[in-house]
Amino acid sequence: MREAAWLYPIVEIVHITGFAVLVGAVALFDLRVLGCARALPLRALAAHLLPWAVGSLLLIVPAGLLMFSSQPGDFLGNRTFTLKMALLLAAGINAAFFHLGPWRRVSAWDVGAATPARARLHAALSLLLWVGVISCGRLLAYT
């Protein structure tokens, strides 16, 4: 990664592109849970967006590991990187609790019905966490 002048930037572009797809899919889903486009069946939207989210992880994870491997000491010593990783963990935990909780009863509020408050809370928290992850990712270049 350090030897080739273009390798790190190319890997970073792959990472950012994957992240754009992942966060785009998550944001669309979360906005639907928050009440946008209520006529759109949530389960159908989830079925459409999930492959994009999973596919994007196939770009993000290896690219992120490659970038990390280029200077692990610098990343581990950077508070912004630590915060980004903590926010990623929190986003994953939030998603797990959403799927183990409100999502199990989605058939009752899939289309045309009010979304339960707990599901809306998870969606709002998800959006905030992902904005934090994106912010930390950008700030890494400056900290």
Side-chain angles (χ1 to χ4, degrees):
M1 288 288 289
R2 291 182 183 196
E3 302 296 319
W6 287 99
L7 186 55
Y8 192 94
I10 290 169
V11 170
E12 189 172 28
I13 289 167
V14 169
H15 187 70
I16 291 169
T17 301
F19 220 83
V21 173
L22 173 65
V23 174
V26 169
L28 288 172
F29 181 81
D30 288 341
L31 288 170
R32 169 57 187 85
V33 171
L34 287 170
C36 296
R38 286 187 183 171
L40 184 62
L42 191 55
R43 289 185 290 185
L45 180 63
H48 177 72
L49 294 175
L50 185 61
W52 289 97
V54 170
S56 69
L57 287 172
L58 297 175
L59 295 174
I60 295 167
V61 173
L65 290 172
L66 281 171
M67 290 188 304
F68 177 80
S69 73
S70 72
Q71 39 196 327
D74 290 344
F75 280 113
L76 291 174
N78 187 316
R79 286 183 173 171
T80 304
F81 178 77
T82 305
L83 179 58
K84 178 182 176 182
M85 293 300 109
L87 291 171
L88 277 170
L89 178 62
I93 291 169
N94 181 58
F97 278 111
F98 172 80
H99 286 282
L100 293 172
W103 185 251
R104 288 187 168 190
R105 295 174 297 285
V106 68
S107 60
W109 48 276
D110 186 29
V111 64
T115 305
R118 187 168 163 218
R120 290 193 314 271
L121 177 66
H122 282 288
L125 182 57
S126 172
L127 287 171
L128 288 172
L129 289 167
W130 286 110
V131 167
V133 170
I134 291 167
S135 299
C136 287
R138 277 308 306 138
L139 288 172
L140 278 173
Y142 306 102
T143 59

